[in-house]
Amino acid sequence: MVRTWSALAALTALSTALHLSGLPAHITGALVLIVAWIKARLILLNYLELHDRPGWACGILLALAALIALLIVLFLAAGAPHPA
């Protein structure tokens, strides 16, 4: 549990660093979503103990990955240059 908590704290610090990095907003948003996916995976597997239920874990993590992928595509599409 301590390792998971430490990883969550480090990932939160990474999200803050990304926000302050000065990268374009659509890139920052996509990277923060990836960090959020990693954090959600840690919480689901370790705190909710889905590692003991591989069927549930697979289904929930697959749905979460699909949602994050969709949001990343939308972030990147919103920040892409539009033809004039």
Side-chain angles (χ1 to χ4, degrees):
M1 276 303 186
V2 173
R3 281 194 294 184
T4 302
W5 183 86
S6 299
L8 290 171
L11 289 167
T12 300
L14 177 60
S15 292
T16 303
L18 287 170
H19 171 71
L20 299 174
S21 70
L23 291 170
H26 64 285
I27 300 295
T28 301
L31 292 173
V32 167
L33 280 170
I34 292 169
V35 171
W37 175 73
I38 296 168
K39 288 172 67 174
R41 194 172 190 284
L42 285 172
I43 291 167
L44 289 167
L45 292 175
N46 296 308
Y47 285 109
L48 297 180
E49 298 181 359
L50 284 180
H51 55 77
D52 291 336
R53 305 277 190 231
W56 279 97
C58 182
I60 290 172
L61 293 176
L62 184 62
L64 180 64
L67 175 64
I68 294 294
L70 173 65
L71 291 174
I72 288 172
V73 167
L74 293 174
F75 257 98
L76 295 176
H82 302 289

